[in-house]
Amino acid sequence: MSPNRNTLNTPSLPGLRLPNRAELQEEVSRLRLKKRFSQNFLVDDRVLDAIVQAAEPATTDTVLEVGAGGGFLTQRLLPVVGALTAVELEWTMIDYLQKKFSPPEQYPHLTLVEADILKFPMETAIAAEQFKVVGNLPYAITSPILFRLVGELSAADHPLRQRLSRVVLMVQQEVAERIVATPGQKAYGPLAIASQFWFEAKLAFRVPASAFVPRPKVVSAVVTLTPRQAPRVAVPDLSLLSRLVRVAFAHKRKTLWNNLRHANWLTDDEWQTILTLTAIDRNRRPGDLAIEEFGALCHAIHSGTG
């Protein structure tokens, strides 16, 4: 899927006009010459609009933008959301954004924050009970940010997860595929299980390197995460499920049986009984098991050891 060529039909703010691709590229050129920023700036207006559309914005929404950069996505979010907190690590970029969105009284619903998103206190800094997260993640810290948002598989009461109404993130395509992968696909593993256990995960569209300046060496993709009202599978012990997934994928190319029996957890006879009860072939690969099958194994282990 690729971004729709039609631009987003958004209301306007006084003094705010959405630039086209040529204007975005010109602004980035000025930024790079003046500030020597090393970021890859997204300059395709169709992709920017598609990201906003994927967030399904409403004027009552509170949104946290991760990595505001040059403010190009910020510009498109401002007219369609109720409150926007844009977090950016580079102080020089914050200075640029403050000038870009000036005077501040013209943008009363915009808060610019200079912070490391991994240290930014989302739980207390965002006052709204429910909020959305939108952003272009720095690829070097994608996994820590993801787990900061969605929480570990074993965390039933993860404070952020319970408050997120939607998450829209641009990540490296390889990571996106690992998030949305299904059983039998090469990318399927613990990240897919952790994400899909608590969220409905979808790959919205891919973003070519040509959409950025300077052009990166990788292809990106936008994923959406929508919280489930209840976990995908009911299990008796989340810590047990988390351990089971880690053990099962310890050596992805080995059979489920080999991974289980070498985990120093249960005896071979106990594992065989559990696999028989769940009707799961011990010679299957861990990457072929659905989340529901891991849930069934978890129930059987809990019944036999609880």
Side-chain angles (χ1 to χ4, degrees), residues 48-124:
L48 289 164
D49 287 344
I51 293 173
V52 175
Q53 287 175 327
E56 299 180 355
T59 53
T60 55
D61 283 342
T62 293
V63 176
L64 170 65
E65 182 186 358
V66 179
F72 306 131
L73 182 58
T74 312
Q75 281 179 298
R76 282 166 160 76
L77 287 168
L78 276 173
V80 293
V81 303
L84 177 62
T85 297
V87 178
E88 170 57 45
L89 178 61
E90 287 282 345
W91 71 267
T92 45
M93 192 65 83
I94 286 289
D95 181 64
Y96 172 80
L97 292 171
Q98 288 172 339
K99 294 174 182 176
K100 181 172 186 173
F101 297 107
S102 179
E105 55 267 22
Q106 187 173 304
Y107 309 98
H109 58 311
L110 171 63
T111 302
L112 296 172
V113 180
E114 178 193 340
D116 180 343
I117 193 61
L118 290 175
K119 299 177 182 178
F120 179 64
M122 303 181 206
E123 297 86 347
T124 55

Side-chain angles (χ1 to χ4, degrees), residues 111 118 120 164 200 269 277 302:
T111 302
L118 290 175
F120 179 64
L164 297 174
E200 291 183 16
D269 287 344
L277 285 172
H302 187 266

